[in-house]
C-alpha cells in the first residue's frame, strides 16, 4: 500500500548519414549507431562522451551530437 511507480516515456530520435544511423532519446545517456562504419556507424571512440544528448545532426558521412551543456561530439568520416 502506498507504493508508487512513475514512468517517463521518451520518444527515440533518429539521424542518418548516407549509410549509417544514430538513435538516441533527448537527455539520455545512450546513443546507438549502426550501418557502414566509414559513414559514422562506429561511435565507440566517443560513446563515453555521448551523455545528455539533445540532438544529433548528420552529413553524408559523419555525425555531430549536441549535448545539454552546449558542447559537441563528432564522429564518422573526417573528410
Amino acid at each position: 500500500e502506498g507504493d508508487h511507480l512513475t514512468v517517463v516515456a521518451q520518444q527515440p530520435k533518429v539521424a542518418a548519414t548516407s549509410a549509417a544511423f544514430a538513435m538516441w532519446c533527448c537527455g539520455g545517456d545512450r546513443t546507438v549507431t549502426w550501418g557502414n562504419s566509414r559513414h559514422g556507424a562506429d561511435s565507440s571512440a566517443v560513446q563515453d562522451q555521448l551523455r545528455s544528448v539533445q540532438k544529433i545532426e548528420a552529413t553524408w558521412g559523419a555525425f555531430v551530437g549536441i549535448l545539454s551543456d552546449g558542447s559537441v561530439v563528432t564522429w564518422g568520416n573526417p573528410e
Side-chain angles (χ1 to χ4, degrees):
E1 298 279 353
D3 289 343
H4 291 59
L5 175 65
T6 302
V7 176
V8 176
Q10 294 183 341
Q11 181 72 28
K13 305 201 183 297
V14 176
T17 66
S18 61
F21 301 88
M23 183 173 67
W24 76 101
C25 289
C26 285
D29 287 339
R30 178 115 167 98
T31 298
V32 178
T33 56
W34 69 96
N36 187 316
S37 61
R38 294 182 314 167
H39 293 268
D42 183 5
S43 61
S44 60
V46 298
Q47 195 59 235
D48 63 324
Q49 299 172 52
L50 294 173
R51 303 287 184 251
S52 299
V53 174
Q54 298 300 302
K55 189 174 188 180
I56 293 179
E57 294 286 344
T59 66
W60 70 272
F63 292 101
V64 58
I66 303 166
L67 309 183
S68 62
D69 65 1
S71 63
V72 297
V73 178
T74 60
W75 70 98
N77 191 321
E79 295 178 11

